[in-house]
Amino acid sequence: MPHATPNRDGAHPTPAPSTTGLTPTRTADATAPRPRSEHPTAAPRQTPVTHAATRPTPAHASARSVLQPASKARAPKRTRASRRALGTLVLTLVLATATCLSLAPFPASAATSPGTSANPSTTAARQHQQSAQGLDQAHVALIGVPGLEWSDLNPSRTPHLWSLLSQGASASLSTRAVPPPDRGITCPTAGWLTISAGQRAGTAGKGCLQPPTPQLTGEAAKIPDWPALSAYQSETGFDAQLGTLGQLVTDNGGKVAAIGPGAALAGADKSGNIAKYAPTLDAAGDLTPYNLIIMEAADLATAWTAQPLDEYSVPTPLPSAARQAAATKADQQIGALIAKLPPNTTTLVAGISDVSPIAHLHVAIAKGPSPNGRPYDHGYLTATSTRQDALVTITDLTATAIQLLGLPAPRQVVGRPWQPNGPTAATPAETVAELADGDLASQVLREVRGPFFAVLVTVQLLFYAFAALALRRRRDTTSPTPPGTRPPSTNPPPTEALSTSPPPTEALSTSPPPTEPSPSASSITDPSATEPPSAESPSAAEHPSTSPSATNLPPTDLPPTGPSSAEHPSSEPSPTAQEGTSAPGTPGGDFASSSKLLKSVQIVAVISGAIPVSTFLAQLVPWWTLPVPMLSVIVTIVAIAGLITALAFAGPWRAHVLGPLTVVAAVTSLALLIDVMTGSKLQVNAVTGYEPVTGGRFYGFSNIAFAVYATGTILGLAGVAQWLLSRGVSRVVVVAACALYGGLAVFADGWPSWGADFGGVPAFVIGLAVFLILLSGKRVSLLRLLLVGLVGAAFVGALSVFDWLRPDSQRTHLGNFVQQVIDGQAWTVVGRKFSAMIGVTVGNWSLTLLSLVALAFLFLILDRPSRWGASALGQAYRVAPTLRAGLFGALTCAFVGFLMNDSGIAIPAMALTVAVPLTLAACVRALQLTTVPME
């Protein structure tokens, strides 16, 4: 603990100037400070210690403070160490920026040409050749097997599927469409309609309806109730255009053949008609004339619909024996169709829906020529819609068939073509095992996600209650201060004074007039604190302990953090920095510095702040394969959080107020930045990430990951800024360095090849701007916030337009939204997102409760007087002023993100889960440094 240490002979050494960084320097004698106006090497002037609230101000000091211009204050010379530190930081940021720009293009596996082709000219030439020859030479067989999963494949029971797997490319298929009420599954009819439209589609009513039987007229057929099916799609929020696939093929002179009722749904035109329909393969006849052949192998679905219904009118799961028998029958139909196909036909096999009350990933196999001309060799499939190896979606199936036929994909088709993506496992058995493991991870995640968040919220609430008791336990305010001790100081200790003490010529911007006593509590909404006192009031600088907590100021009119505190650091310890202080009413000397309870609170707070990023890093361990998944994921996450906490307390930075906070926040920011630059692997099937079965997002920053990433980035920059300022680095340089890394972080969040986060960019820009404005010493006014908001909107708009200018098959949802604005469909998307945001906020009461309790703890516990007298948050602000800028920036980002994203309350809940525990850890350390026992 930083306090004076006597020499061996008992005498105190002469004080030396401190250069406080992340490691506090022990100061020899806090009771013998050096006048601020003297040179650092001058002899110290002995000044009697008087409590800041009652110490008289000498007249000559008042006159000097008023008459001496602020520009006359002598700034300390920058040391070689600080110059080396600054040079290292700037070089690191330059290298990081260069690396990011070099990685900006899409990976070769999912980047160029339509879809992920590595050679656009090859695809263009092939399409031109097919256009010249017509569709006569193009043949695609689309085989839908509702419910087919990787665990159904077996070399003896399903030999034809096994052969296709051995020779072709494969992936897991996310079949997310419009689910029935109260069930998050895709019914067979919804899967077929989704293929027809190239967009998520569904049916009205409860349960899973059977595909209607087409009405035959010779070889042609018409789908019953087609107008009603088409009209319902406008109510789903996706506005799918049924008949898109069949209409496109027939309009370009192609022929479509459908085998089975479900296949008829997929192949019908926009009027619900199909020129060639056969109820069975035997009745189909010669298939050579047809360009697009769609067959339904419905054995699994037929067996499933025979099961009893549950309370949601959905059939119960199939018994294992019945499922295996149905898979064998489907395999036989597939083999019979393959024998009748024309040469050079590309075969696409897809498990297009669920046949269980629980959603799964399904089979996707492709064999034959791919859209870019390369064959679908044995390996994994991918698509730019997911940017993940061995993962494609059901809407990609429509886009793949269209491009294989050499036709331009309509804008309403949201999928991207399947592309071969390199070798897979050595044997088909290993491939099946790996892909089945991906489905297992999704199933386990579905089981543990709800309980995990319940545990997370419960533990957080209990910890906040425990910390509140530790900080606010009842104390006897009438008991006198024990002999030999002093009241608790509201000033920083000698080791931190360098970065917080203002020069004698400039009053602190948050200080009240000298006649006002130091407030015992502060309110974030106190309007009386919005106006800083006049700089001509000398006592504010002479009595910094009288300044209230900086949190008295509303977020929209916050005064600067005081650039003078770092640009003109004091060359001596604060005159009122105390050793030997204890809380009033604690005759035994209740010192925060010696409280084991407070130390425990600090450690648990750091662990808690490391939990969010640990939920992503846990994906480095296959926890879902362990015997007890729920226990396994909790143990894995806590273990990783423990390692991060050990790092936070491992070095000399642990003694600094923002040391542990900076380490955890930096790990959070860098881990997610690297992850999103390398394909977002850590977010897939993470408990706080996205799951492929749900199909909400497959790449870039999920909303929860964005909240964790942005909060970690802003708080981490606050910690680094405090360290640089305390070493005498110019505030202008510090702000520029923070803006450089912050700009990189925002760029990574919005760049289509990385984060592709539409709603997060404006929130991140506004939150970062609030942090930088406060860090620079400016006020955060409403006008500045509006201007920053416009800059954020312009930035994300520019990224979206850039994405829109690329080929349709390479666009992300940013470019797609621009096209939806042009087509007049933007309000459909906005309405769906807004409804989702309201639903999550209202329906997820646990996260709403966690957010409210975290804010209450921050402003009603940390920002109120502690048992040691002063506000813990106010103490932390005084010792580390940049914390205030970082905290307000992070909270602003979370609030704007809440308004702009469809995850609703989940964004501020996760942001607060990072920010509040780390702020608590900093507050505890501030109390420990400002209430220390006398030697």
Side-chain angles (χ1 to χ4, degrees):
M1 198 57 55
H3 57 272
T5 303
N7 293 331
R8 295 181 183 273
D9 57 1
H12 289 274
T14 303
S18 171
T19 56
T20 308
L22 289 179
T23 308
T25 305
R26 293 185 180 273
T27 306
D29 191 353
T31 62
R34 190 182 295 112
R36 291 184 178 90
S37 61
E38 295 180 3
H39 190 273
T41 58
R45 182 181 64 186
Q46 300 295 329
T47 304
V49 176
T50 307
H51 190 250
T54 59
R55 188 182 63 184
T57 304
H60 68 277
S62 301
R64 183 178 70 248
S65 176
V66 172
L67 298 177
Q68 183 178 355
S71 59
K72 297 290 186 179
R74 184 186 301 273
K77 295 182 179 180
R78 191 176 302 165
T79 64
R80 292 183 179 179
S82 65
R83 285 195 292 267
R84 286 196 300 268
L86 177 60
T88 302
L89 176 65
V90 172
L91 178 60
T92 301
L93 291 172
V94 170
L95 291 176
T97 304
T99 302
C100 293
L101 293 177
S102 67
L103 294 175
F106 282 111
S109 62
T112 57
S113 86
T116 57
S117 172
N119 191 348
S121 60
T122 301
T123 301
R126 182 174 183 269
Q127 290 181 353
H128 177 74
Q129 181 181 7
Q130 287 183 347
S131 176
Q133 295 176 351
L135 293 175
D136 292 340
Q137 303 300 321
H139 299 280
V140 177
L142 194 161
I143 306 172
V145 189
L148 184 65
E149 301 171 15
W150 285 109
S151 57
D152 295 322
L153 270 62
N154 182 276
S156 58
R157 293 194 303 268
T158 57
H160 299 99
L161 286 169
W162 201 263
S163 176
L164 287 173
L165 172 65
S166 304
Q167 301 174 34
S170 55
S172 291
L173 179 70
S174 175
T175 60
R176 187 67 167 181
V178 177
D182 305 316
R183 278 295 189 188
I185 64 173
T186 297
C187 297
T189 300
W192 287 115
L193 292 175
T194 298
I195 295 172
S196 171
Q199 173 63 283
R200 294 183 183 184
T203 59
K206 295 181 63 177
C208 288
L209 303 178
Q210 290 292 317
T213 302
Q215 300 171 352
L216 275 169
T217 305
E219 287 190 344
K222 184 175 181 62
I223 307 298
D225 299 325
W226 184 262
L229 286 172
S230 298
Y232 174 72
Q233 307 313 315
S234 62
E235 303 176 16
T236 64
F238 296 97
D239 198 21
Q241 304 296 311
L242 299 186
T244 297
L245 176 60
Q247 190 72 52
L248 180 66
V249 176
T250 55
D251 286 349
N252 285 273
K255 296 181 179 181
V256 181
I259 304 169
L265 290 176
D269 60 19
K270 292 187 176 181
S271 300
N273 299 315
I274 187 164
K276 171 66 176 180
Y277 171 74
T280 64
L281 180 60
D282 294 336
D286 183 19
L287 299 176
T288 304
Y290 299 97
N291 306 104
L292 178 60
I293 303 161
I294 307 175
M295 188 185 81
E296 177 186 29
D299 301 275
L300 282 165
T302 301
W304 181 52
T305 55
Q307 293 293 114
L309 302 181
D310 62 14
E311 64 272 25
Y312 302 107
S313 300
V314 173
T316 54
L318 275 170
S320 178
R323 185 177 187 93
Q324 292 178 4
T328 299
K329 292 180 180 179
D331 181 78
Q332 293 171 355
Q333 289 194 63
I334 292 171
L337 175 65
I338 291 175
K340 299 181 66 173
L341 293 176
N344 297 323
T345 298
T346 300
T347 302
L348 307 175
V349 178
I352 63 158
S353 72
D354 298 301
V355 291
S356 69
I358 299 175
H360 285 264
L361 293 177
H362 296 277
V363 171
I365 302 175
K367 179 180 177 294
S370 70
N372 62 9
R374 296 165 50 195
Y376 283 118
D377 292 328
H378 179 62
Y380 283 136
L381 291 169
T382 189
T384 54
S385 60
T386 66
R387 299 190 194 168
Q388 301 290 342
D389 294 339
L391 182 63
V392 292
T393 71
I394 188 172
T395 54
D396 297 338
L397 188 58
T398 307
T400 304
I402 291 173
Q403 195 163 20
L404 284 170
L405 295 173
L407 302 175
R411 290 173 178 172
Q412 58 265 31
V413 175
V414 298
R416 299 293 181 260
W418 295 355
Q419 298 290 343
N421 192 41
T424 179
T427 65
E430 292 175 346
T431 301
V432 170
E434 290 183 9
L435 296 175
D437 183 71
D439 182 49
L440 174 64
S442 294
Q443 299 309 308
V444 173
L445 175 63
R446 182 185 298 272
E447 294 176 2
V448 304
R449 171 169 281 171
F452 172 81
F453 274 100
V455 171
L456 177 65
V457 171
T458 301
V459 171
Q460 287 272 313
L461 295 178
L462 292 176
F463 174 62
Y464 288 146
F466 168 74
L469 290 176
L471 292 171
R472 300 289 301 278
R473 284 194 303 175
R474 183 180 61 84
R475 55 188 175 89
D476 182 9
T477 58
T478 62
S479 176
T481 302
T485 63
R486 301 183 183 91
S489 170
T490 57
N491 287 296
T495 60
E496 302 290 343
L498 231 164
S499 62
T500 59
S501 300
T505 59
E506 183 176 348
L508 291 177
S509 61
T510 58
S511 301
T515 57
E516 296 183 7
S518 177
S520 60
S522 60
S523 170
I524 195 64
T525 58
D526 182 10
S528 65
T530 59
E531 291 297 330
S534 171
E536 296 181 358
S537 176
S539 59
E542 294 292 327
H543 305 285
S545 63
T546 63
S547 62
S549 170
T551 57
N552 287 347
L553 306 160
T556 57
D557 194 21
L558 294 170
T561 56
S564 61
S565 63
E567 289 185 335
H568 306 282
S570 170
S571 60
E572 77 288 343
S574 173
T576 58
Q578 310 256 341
E579 295 178 9
T581 62
S582 67
T586 54
D590 183 11
F591 305 115
S593 58
S594 59
S595 172
K596 294 182 178 179
L597 182 62
L598 270 190
K599 187 63 177 177
S600 300
V601 168
Q602 184 188 23
I603 294 174
V604 176
V606 174
I607 293 176
S608 181
I611 288 292
V613 70
S614 299
T615 62
F616 299 105
L617 295 174
Q619 295 307 104
L620 298 173
V621 180
W623 53 267
W624 56 89
T625 63
L626 299 177
V628 185
M630 182 62 192
L631 179 62
S632 300
V633 68
I634 291 177
V635 170
T636 302
I637 291 172
V638 172
I640 294 175
L643 293 176
I644 297 174
T645 301
L647 177 64
F649 287 100
W653 50 79
R654 66 181 179 272
H656 192 275
V657 168
L658 299 187
L661 176 148
T662 304
V663 171
V664 175
V667 169
T668 299
S669 177
L670 291 174
L672 291 177
L673 175 62
I674 294 172
D675 176 58
V676 81
M677 291 169 60
T678 55
S680 308
K681 306 295 184 183
L682 295 181
Q683 297 183 56
V684 179
N685 283 327
V687 290
T688 51
Y690 34 73
E691 53 177 323
V693 171
T694 301
R697 192 179 180 97
F698 300 96
Y699 60 86
F701 275 120
S702 66
N703 288 334
I704 290 180
F706 156 73
V708 175
Y709 168 69
T711 305
T713 298
I714 295 174
L715 291 180
L717 289 176
V720 172
Q722 179 64 34
W723 177 68
L724 291 175
L725 290 172
S726 68
R727 297 181 69 85
V729 179
S730 168
R731 182 173 292 269
V732 174
V733 175
V734 172
V735 172
C738 291
L740 181 60
Y741 181 81
L744 170 64
V746 173
F747 177 81
D749 180 45
W751 183 243
S753 301
W754 294 340
D757 186 11
F758 185 87
V761 170
F764 204 169
V765 168
I766 294 173
L768 181 66
V770 168
F771 163 69
L772 293 175
I773 291 171
L774 292 176
L775 182 64
S776 65
K778 306 294 184 181
R779 286 183 179 273
V780 179
S781 64
L782 182 60
L783 177 60
R784 283 184 175 137
L785 283 180
L786 291 175
L787 292 176
V788 169
L790 291 176
V791 170
F795 181 64
V796 72
L799 290 176
S800 300
V801 171
F802 169 81
D803 191 36
W804 174 74
L805 291 174
R806 300 191 299 178
D808 292 353
S809 57
Q810 296 183 25
R811 291 176 185 167
T812 68
H813 61 280
L814 277 74
N816 290 337
F817 182 74
V818 174
Q819 188 60 55
Q820 288 163 344
V821 171
I822 296 173
D823 296 340
Q825 299 177 351
W827 286 115
T828 301
V829 178
V830 172
R832 186 174 72 246
K833 298 285 187 180
F834 180 76
S835 299
M837 186 268 283
I838 297 297
V840 171
T841 303
V842 175
N844 201 330
W845 63 268
S846 60
L847 291 182
T848 303
L849 176 63
L850 177 61
S851 301
L852 294 176
V853 171
L855 288 173
F857 178 82
L858 185 63
F859 295 120
L860 299 182
I861 301 297
L862 291 183
D863 198 32
R864 297 300 178 98
S866 67
R867 54 186 291 207
W868 290 275
S871 157
L873 188 59
Q875 292 290 80
Y877 284 165
R878 293 183 186 95
V879 177
T882 61
L883 174 62
R884 174 172 166 272
L887 185 58
F888 275 110
L891 294 180
T892 302
C893 179
F895 178 71
V896 178
F898 161 72
L899 296 177
M900 296 196 63
N901 288 277
D902 55 359
S903 290
I905 196 64
I907 290 180
M910 294 308 298
L912 291 169
T913 301
V914 177
V916 175
L918 294 181
T919 301
L920 170 60
C923 291
V924 169
R925 184 58 183 153
L927 288 176
Q928 291 173 335
L929 290 175
T930 52
T931 56
V932 296
M934 285 196 312
E935 292 291 340

